[in-house]
Amino acid sequence: MKTSRWWQQCSVISFLLAVWLPAWIMAQTTPPTQGTTSPKPQNDRLQFRLVGYPRKHNEGRIEVFYKGEWGTICDDDFSLSNANVLCRQLGFISATGWTHSAKYGKGLGKIWLDNVQCNGGEKSIELCKSRGWGNSDCTHDEDAGVVCKDERLPGFVDSNIIDVQMDENKVEKVRLRPVVPTKKMPVTEGVVEIKYRNGWVQICDVGWTSKNTRVICGMLGFPDEKKVNKNFYKNRLRKRAAESQGQKVKAKVHVSAGARLNTERQKNQYHLHSVACVGTEVHLAACPLEFNKGNATGSCKGGMPVVVSCVPGPQYVHNNGLKKKLKTTSTVRLKGGAKLGEGRVEVLRNNEWGTVCDDRWTLLSASVVCRELGFGSAKEALTGARMGQGMGPIHMNEVLCLGTEKSMWNCGFKNITSEDCQHVEDAAVRCNTPYMALENSIRLTGGRTRYEGRVEVLSTEANGTRIWGLICGGAWSTKEAMVACRQLGLGYANHGLQETWYWDSSNVTEMVMSGVKCTGNEMSLSHCQHHRTVSCQKTAAKFSAGVICSETASDLVLNAPLVQQSVYIEDRPLHMLYCAAEENCLSKSAASANWPYGHRRLLRFSSQIHNIGRADFRPKAGRHSWVWHACHGHYHSMDIFTHYDLLSSNGTKVAEGHKASFCLEDTECHEGISKRYECANFGEQGITVGCWDLYRHDIDCQWIDITDIKPGNYILQIVINPNFEVAESDFTNNAMKCNCKYDGHRIWLHNCHMGDAFSEEAERRFEKYPGQFNNQIS
């Protein structure tokens, strides 16, 4: 009986196992349906990279390293929100776009994710909805790509593969909260606070060192630190804590939720208890840190919140006397950057500026440069001429700094040989700069994108109230627009507009600023010259100033040695100069010459104009407004493209020529770069990045008429884009100068150089002794 019952029970169990076990196995192996959440993070650390061709460093096919294998992501259901999450994981602040259909080429191996749907705020792509790891119905023809904003997250090194650590304690943002109220910017002293979850928390100062302070100051954009009066702050903070406790007691009786929240904000919350920086770190996240255990914020026994005091660089000092004292002649400079504190690194050697090769270029070396220039530590050490290519010598290679040096010249480095480096390897930096809140007093309205619109500025009335107002468009130019775009954090200015009738979406109509005149280097429009009281001929809103900003810009530079090598004198018969006379390419005395007999004496030379910037140089005027010149059979796309001047020793202009851009085109390009602009058949005009336009010495108007010039020493000066009609990242390199010696029969040019190529001392000697500096001519 027992045997029978036991057998019956076994039969039932066998039946249940036969039905249930396959179903359980099926449930474990069946892929999740579309729209379910991806599995929880695995122990394997994810890695991400951008690959493909052609692409820039901040764009490409997105690939994920999972379970020991690289794979791609399908473009089904892909969105900008997905791209934002992925770009942050790659170390960029956000995405500007995404691509589909394997734009950067087809990947190999697994397609790890499909139907990914993020809301944009996730810390990792694996927290977004998807079909699950490895479950896809796509082919590599559908590989997704991302385009990230070219700006790194704080704490990330400039690497193309980023290890992702799901760590909520990771320090990203740090700020100084002033204990003593101040309206002056930047804030240089106060309590150190770090961003944690949705609020700000403090650091316990027990064991705090000056090396920690140095790292904090560097992150906040300051080159140096100084001691703080700890007793003053101890008493101040204790008093504030007591007041806060009193408010808390009152709050229990009857107070609004908002007031209670404010009281809680004033309470010190210690989340970080031990910091052990060596002082050369570029970010607090790189230091050994000890966080408070658990989610609760603890106390700081025997201590108080960390308070630091930082020394600002000369650009940020309010005291003019101290500013002059701090300002010294530097042997390092930054060129080609849109913002203060970023650009191509150039160093002064033997009175001549040159670039730095990017071999072994690191954040430590970049930070030495940044601090030397009055900024904080480096956010990024950029390679591959990311801030445009320089011209002239390359002075340093394989720079190796420890991070403690006062100057880049104190670091180890190698001298350059022509085989070592080319300008495509020019090093650049982005430095931490102090927060100035300048973007809060300016805005753009009416534009199709955030990069364009009518400029509105915040002004203060006599009674202290602030309302928004317009800027008079009269005399508004590219230089002023450059400052406006910089203040907005939108890069360079493509155009400065004097009329904005097509952007009429704001109810702001009052002009509050006029006569604005900038050098182009200012941080804010308020730093530029302008009328004390508004004076504007056309006061209607449609005549207010506007801008179109861009993250990149062109940069034109003349090949100075070519001018020196190609110069000669030609006595050209008048009967061959009718066309040139029509285009005003001869001196005034030619009008009274005995045409067609006689001749004009012409100083001729070739000029080669390189675009070393990060955007193509295009004429400001559209082709519909180009002017046809029948005499020479070409279109003029700009009124004046180049000025050719001969100056006396005291700087007086004694002869001049001008070059209308009869044809802007790519004559030649660097290896690997294709020509894009050609003038034939009414083609598009411009100069591509990495290409140059050559004006040969035998072309009409490629000269200065020196018929009336007496023998002597002169300065030849050539200026491209003289009226700033087209925006460039750097206008200081648009001029070049040569010493010129003319004996009445022959002419010699020597010491030809760009206007910003020499030290100030060498340039002064050049001006003082024209024709004598480095003069080998007797």
Side-chain angles (χ1 to χ4, degrees):
M1 189 72 178
K2 283 181 180 178
T3 305
S4 173
R5 206 162 24 234
W6 175 84
W7 179 252
Q8 285 176 347
Q9 287 173 345
C10 282
S11 300
V12 171
I13 292 168
S14 299
F15 172 77
L16 288 172
L17 283 171
V19 173
W20 175 75
L21 190 59
W24 181 83
I25 293 170
M26 184 72 74
Q28 299 308 306
T29 57
T30 302
T33 57
Q34 183 175 329
T36 61
T37 305
S38 296
K40 289 185 179 180
Q42 305 291 316
N43 291 331
D44 303 72
R45 187 178 289 176
L46 293 179
Q47 289 183 313
F48 295 82
R49 70 184 181 188
L50 293 175
V51 293
Y53 184 84
R55 69 180 187 90
K56 296 178 182 175
H57 70 282
N58 57 323
E59 64 179 343
R61 181 175 67 251
I62 183 75
E63 294 194 348
V64 189
F65 188 74
Y66 176 73
K67 288 196 171 179
E69 187 177 350
W70 285 102
T72 62
I73 299 177
C74 183
D75 61 16
D76 291 351
D77 290 334
F78 210 84
S79 66
L80 189 60
S81 296
N82 295 359
N84 272 319
V85 173
L86 287 163
C87 283
R88 282 187 62 83
Q89 290 195 264
L90 285 159
F92 296 96
I93 62 169
S94 64
T96 59
W98 63 277
T99 64
H100 57 84
S101 307
K103 178 185 173 181
Y104 299 102
K106 294 190 284 187
L108 299 170
K110 295 273 191 182
I111 299 176
W112 277 125
L113 293 170
D114 187 10
N115 297 110
V116 180
Q117 296 177 352
C118 305
N119 61 33
E122 293 87 350
K123 291 285 186 185
S124 172
I125 197 72
E126 60 187 345
L127 299 178
C128 304
K129 290 181 179 179
S130 76
R131 294 170 66 105
W133 289 103
N135 182 31
S136 169
D137 58 2
C138 299
T139 67
H140 282 296
D141 290 313
E142 301 168 84
D143 284 344
V146 294
V147 182
C148 303
K149 184 175 173 61
D150 187 11
E151 190 173 334
R152 286 287 188 188
L153 279 171
F156 276 97
V157 295
D158 192 17
S159 168
N160 200 29
I161 298 179
I162 307 295
D163 282 345
V164 177
Q165 300 180 44
M166 297 293 292
D167 185 4
E168 67 174 15
N169 283 332
K170 186 177 185 320
V171 175
E172 281 193 14
K173 293 184 180 177
V174 175
R175 73 177 184 185
L176 281 188
R177 175 170 55 83
V179 176
V180 180
T182 178
K183 290 185 178 179
K184 287 185 177 180
M185 296 295 284
V187 175
T188 59
E189 189 169 295
V191 174
V192 178
E193 298 189 325
I194 57 174
K195 192 84 164 72
Y196 177 65
R197 294 183 176 172
N198 295 321
W200 294 88
V201 291
Q202 290 75 42
I203 305 173
C204 180
D205 76 341
V206 175
W208 187 263
T209 68
S210 61
K211 292 177 179 178
N212 298 339
T213 300
R214 179 172 174 80
V215 174
I216 294 291
C217 289
M219 288 177 65
L220 296 170
F222 303 111
D224 294 299
E225 71 287 349
K226 63 180 180 181
K227 285 186 178 179
V228 350
N229 185 341
K230 196 169 177 180
N231 289 330
F232 169 79
Y233 280 101
K234 205 167 193 175
N235 295 332
R236 193 97 184 188
L237 290 167
R238 191 179 291 146
K239 184 179 178 184
R240 180 170 287 188
E243 291 171 354
S244 174
Q245 189 61 32
Q247 289 178 4
K248 194 173 180 182
V249 172
K250 290 178 183 177
K252 287 182 179 178
V253 181
H254 178 70
V255 79
S256 69
R260 279 200 300 275
L261 183 63
N262 189 50
T263 303
E264 286 300 312
R265 281 178 183 159
Q266 291 180 3
K267 183 182 175 184
N268 291 324
Q269 297 184 314
Y270 299 100
H271 183 58
L272 199 51
H273 285 262
S274 177
V275 179
C277 302
V278 298
T280 57
E281 296 89 348
V282 297
H283 198 281
L284 192 63
C287 302
L289 305 174
E290 184 184 322
F291 291 88
N292 183 49
K293 293 185 174 114
N295 292 329
T297 51
S299 60
C300 177
K301 291 180 181 177
M304 64 181 222
V306 167
V307 178
V308 304
S309 183
C310 304
V311 178
Q315 305 94 320
Y316 302 95
V317 173
H318 299 291
N319 185 320
N320 287 330
L322 182 59
K323 189 178 287 191
K324 288 178 182 176
K325 186 179 177 182
L326 288 172
K327 198 164 186 178
T328 55
T329 304
S330 179
T331 56
V332 180
R333 69 183 183 187
L334 300 182
K335 300 285 280 186
K339 302 173 185 173
L340 199 64
E342 69 174 28
R344 178 176 63 253
V345 179
E346 295 191 353
V347 291
L348 188 65
R349 192 176 195 180
N350 297 328
N351 282 322
E352 187 175 11
W353 289 98
T355 62
V356 176
C357 189
D358 64 12
D359 292 352
R360 302 184 71 182
W361 184 242
T362 66
L363 282 167
L364 285 176
S365 300
S367 290
V368 171
V369 170
C370 290
R371 289 182 187 270
E372 185 177 354
L373 290 169
F375 305 110
S377 50
K379 282 194 288 191
E380 291 183 69
L382 305 172
T383 58
R386 292 256 300 277
M387 290 290 177
Q389 296 182 29
M391 293 280 283
I394 302 174
H395 285 323
M396 303 171 94
N397 188 21
E398 295 192 22
V399 178
L400 196 60
C401 300
L402 301 174
T404 55
E405 296 87 348
K406 288 292 183 185
S407 169
M408 191 179 177
W409 289 105
N410 301 136
C411 303
F413 67 90
K414 285 186 178 179
N415 290 320
I416 286 288
T417 63
S418 57
E419 295 80 28
D420 285 338
C421 282
Q422 303 296 324
H423 282 296
V424 292
E425 301 169 82
D426 284 343
V429 297
R430 282 200 179 105
C431 305
N432 286 311
T433 56
Y435 178 65
M436 299 293 289
L438 297 172
E439 73 279 8
N440 297 334
S441 58
I442 186 172
R443 69 186 183 190
L444 300 183
T445 59
R448 296 158 295 183
T449 70
R450 69 189 190 95
Y451 287 90
E452 65 179 30
R454 179 180 291 144
V455 181
E456 296 181 358
V457 291
L458 202 56
S459 64
T460 305
E461 299 288 316
N463 59 7
T465 59
R466 306 186 83 188
I467 57 148
W468 288 96
L470 305 174
I471 299 175
C472 181
W476 180 262
S477 72
T478 304
K479 282 192 171 183
E480 289 71 46
M482 292 289 268
V483 176
C485 291
R486 181 181 300 120
Q487 186 177 352
L488 286 158
L490 297 178
Y492 309 94
N494 261 354
H495 297 292
L497 305 164
Q498 296 185 354
E499 294 184 15
T500 51
W501 48 268
Y502 35 82
W503 287 330
D504 196 18
S505 68
S506 174
N507 57 5
V508 175
T509 56
E510 186 184 355
M511 297 280 182
V512 296
M513 191 181 272
S514 65
V516 182
K517 189 175 182 181
C518 306
T519 64
N521 298 318
E522 295 87 350
M523 286 188 276
S524 162
L525 287 173
S526 61
H527 298 163
C528 301
Q529 295 179 21
H530 55 87
H531 294 154
R532 288 190 175 182
T533 55
V534 177
S535 174
C536 190
Q537 288 185 337
K538 298 178 179 179
T539 56
K542 65 182 179 180
F543 297 114
S544 62
V547 295
I548 300 175
C549 304
S550 171
E551 292 198 350
T552 56
S554 62
D555 187 13
L556 298 188
V557 177
L558 275 155
N559 183 345
L562 181 65
V563 174
Q564 186 167 320
Q565 294 158 14
S566 61
V567 69
Y568 65 97
I569 286 177
E570 180 193 15
D571 290 331
R572 194 165 181 81
L574 280 172
H575 69 83
M576 299 176 71
L577 290 170
Y578 280 103
C579 273
E582 282 185 24
E583 295 194 16
N584 297 316
C585 295
L586 301 175
S587 61
K588 291 177 183 176
S589 64
S592 57
N594 186 22
W595 290 79
Y597 309 104
H599 66 271
R600 304 299 293 180
R601 175 156 286 187
L602 307 175
L603 170 62
R604 307 197 73 146
F605 49 86
S606 296
S607 60
Q608 193 181 78
I609 299 157
H610 291 246
N611 183 358
I612 64 170
R614 291 186 286 154
D616 294 354
F617 184 93
R618 301 294 310 279
K620 183 176 182 179
R623 60 199 303 176
H624 63 278
S625 62
W626 295 352
V627 179
W628 172 257
H629 279 244
C631 188
H632 284 137
H634 56 243
Y635 282 93
H636 282 196
S637 57
M638 295 172 68
D639 290 336
I640 299 292
F641 179 57
T642 314
H643 278 166
Y644 303 146
D645 299 319
L646 202 63
L647 311 176
S648 67
S649 57
N650 62 10
T652 305
K653 194 182 296 184
V654 293
E656 65 180 49
H658 78 272
K659 189 70 176 176
S661 75
F662 71 87
C663 168
L664 278 174
E665 67 178 0
D666 297 326
T667 309
E668 287 184 66
C669 302
H670 288 298
E671 187 178 349
I673 298 174
S674 301
K675 298 178 184 179
R676 298 182 61 186
Y677 304 103
E678 190 174 9
C679 297
N681 303 317
F682 196 32
E684 289 292 340
Q685 292 193 24
I687 307 176
T688 304
V689 174
C691 300
W692 54 90
D693 191 2
L694 174 64
Y695 292 93
R696 285 176 52 88
H697 55 81
D698 53 3
I699 295 174
D700 257 12
C701 299
Q702 185 63 30
W703 63 56
I704 297 177
D705 184 348
I706 61 169
T707 307
D708 307 318
I709 301 302
K710 296 176 182 178
N713 292 325
Y714 300 95
I715 296 173
L716 170 66
Q717 179 175 279
I718 303 175
V719 185
I720 43 179
N721 193 17
N723 300 334
F724 313 110
E725 281 189 47
V726 178
E728 297 184 49
S729 60
D730 186 2
F731 288 115
T732 62
N733 58 12
N734 280 31
M736 66 155 283
K737 297 178 182 178
C738 301
N739 286 128
C740 177
K741 185 178 180 70
Y742 176 47
D743 68 359
H745 305 285
R746 296 170 298 170
I747 201 153
W748 295 269
L749 294 186
H750 52 99
N751 203 30
C752 291
H753 65 281
M754 290 186 296
D756 64 344
F758 287 169
S759 67
E760 289 182 18
E761 179 192 352
E763 199 64 43
R764 280 196 298 271
R765 279 189 282 162
F766 178 92
E767 300 282 359
K768 191 172 182 182
Y769 303 109
Q772 303 302 317
F773 183 55
N774 286 350
N775 191 354
Q776 304 299 318
I777 304 162
S778 57

